[in-house]
Amino acid sequence: MTAYNYLLEDSYKRRLTQYQYLLRSLHPSIKSKVKRLVDIVGGLFGLGITMIIAIPIAISMAISDPGPLLYSQVRCGLHGRPFRIWKFRSMVVGADKMKHLVKNEASGHIFKNTNDPRITCLGAFLRRTSIDEFPQFWNVLVGDMSLVGTRPPTVDEVEKYDPHHWERLKVKPGITGEWQVNGRSTVKDFEDIVKMDIDYQRKWSLGYDLSLIFKTIQVVFNKSGAC
């Protein structure tokens, strides 16, 4: 059974229907044509860089850890709708099946492990520099994600959500956001992430989006909070 089919199971659809009333109002960022234009331009630019860096990454991966260049996973986007996210593979092949063997160091409906043994040597570099995220520019271009938004949750995380957690799904998930510039992987309490996501929705503007993009660039170059 694929992750996508799993997401369409009755249990998930019931949860989505149950909290649909929380997602009725459209956040202003969803209706902004300028934000979408910025996403398209940024997505095209980012994909151009992705295609260039994919070549040396593919060569390095073939030498150090043979397997697929890309990794995909079904995530929950705007209003809980499913989409397939793309990344450069940073873990060993079949890592998802080993997840139960790794201790979750985070609190709440999120999974984090600072020294996850499934991460390859190349993958550690890709994550530390955030290069593994570059294929997500495709998700931005097709409209599943935005350059700036909330962290895209997994299906099993959303299935455990309490009512107030669904508020974070009122905007598109982003490659970056409040969580990216305020601790990144050092933030290990899900409730803190929810607060950041709601705070982003409250403060949202095109100018604020641009400020978060510039802050993200600084954070990435400083490699602060990465793992």
Side-chain angles (χ1 to χ4, degrees):
M1 179 180 295
T2 64
Y4 184 78
N5 287 333
Y6 169 74
L7 215 159
L8 295 181
E9 282 187 346
D10 289 341
S11 61
Y12 181 82
K13 289 190 288 185
R14 283 197 299 269
R15 292 283 289 177
L16 185 58
T17 302
Q18 181 180 2
Y19 296 113
Q20 198 70 43
Y21 71 95
L22 292 173
L23 307 173
R24 285 178 298 183
S25 59
L26 278 181
H27 188 268
S29 65
I30 306 303
K31 297 180 284 186
S32 174
K33 293 181 179 179
V34 179
K35 178 177 173 67
R36 180 56 187 151
L37 178 61
V38 172
D39 283 345
I40 292 174
V41 174
L44 289 171
F45 179 76
L47 275 180
I49 298 177
T50 303
M51 288 187 287
I52 294 173
I53 63 177
I55 297 174
I57 293 175
I59 295 173
S60 299
M61 195 175 295
I63 297 172
S64 62
D65 183 54
L69 173 65
L70 299 176
Y71 166 81
S72 71
Q73 185 181 49
V74 175
R75 296 289 184 97
C76 301
L78 177 66
H79 296 171
R81 290 197 294 265
F83 73 99
R84 186 169 293 279
I85 197 171
W86 294 93
K87 296 185 177 186
F88 285 124
R89 182 172 61 87
S90 61
M91 291 187 174
V92 297
V93 176
D96 285 343
K97 297 178 181 178
M98 306 175 192
K99 185 177 179 180
H100 67 285
L101 300 174
V102 182
K103 180 182 178 181
N104 185 10
E105 298 176 346
S107 173
H109 310 315
I110 189 173
F111 185 90
K112 288 181 180 290
N113 185 289
T114 305
N115 298 303
D116 195 322
R118 299 172 298 167
I119 300 175
T120 64
C121 291
L122 174 61
F125 168 77
L126 296 178
R127 288 188 171 209
R128 188 168 60 252
T129 56
S130 296
I131 291 176
D132 64 316
E133 310 280 355
F134 271 70
Q136 291 176 36
F137 283 109
W138 169 255
N139 292 116
V140 172
L141 189 60
V142 299
D144 293 329
M145 295 178 64
S146 177
L147 293 177
V148 184
T150 59
R151 175 191 171 276
T154 61
V155 179
D156 59 325
E157 291 170 358
V158 174
E159 285 190 330
K160 300 172 185 175
Y161 272 12
D162 294 325
H164 70 284
H165 297 149
W166 284 78
E167 293 287 340
R168 65 188 303 271
L169 301 179
K170 282 188 174 182
V171 298
K172 287 184 180 181
I175 293 180
T176 189
E178 290 280 351
W179 49 272
Q180 183 79 353
V181 301
N182 291 294
R184 301 178 77 191
S185 294
T186 62
V187 181
K188 295 184 178 181
D189 189 324
F190 178 66
E191 294 299 335
D192 289 338
I193 293 177
V194 173
K195 291 176 183 177
M196 290 181 187
D197 290 340
I198 302 303
D199 194 42
Y200 166 72
Q201 294 181 32
R202 180 180 59 82
K203 296 188 292 187
W204 178 81
S205 70
L206 290 170
Y208 190 61
D209 269 6
L210 292 176
S211 71
L212 287 177
I213 290 174
F214 286 122
K215 287 180 181 179
T216 299
I217 294 173
Q218 293 177 330
V219 167
V220 169
F221 275 107
N222 291 333
K223 299 183 179 65
S224 57
C227 74

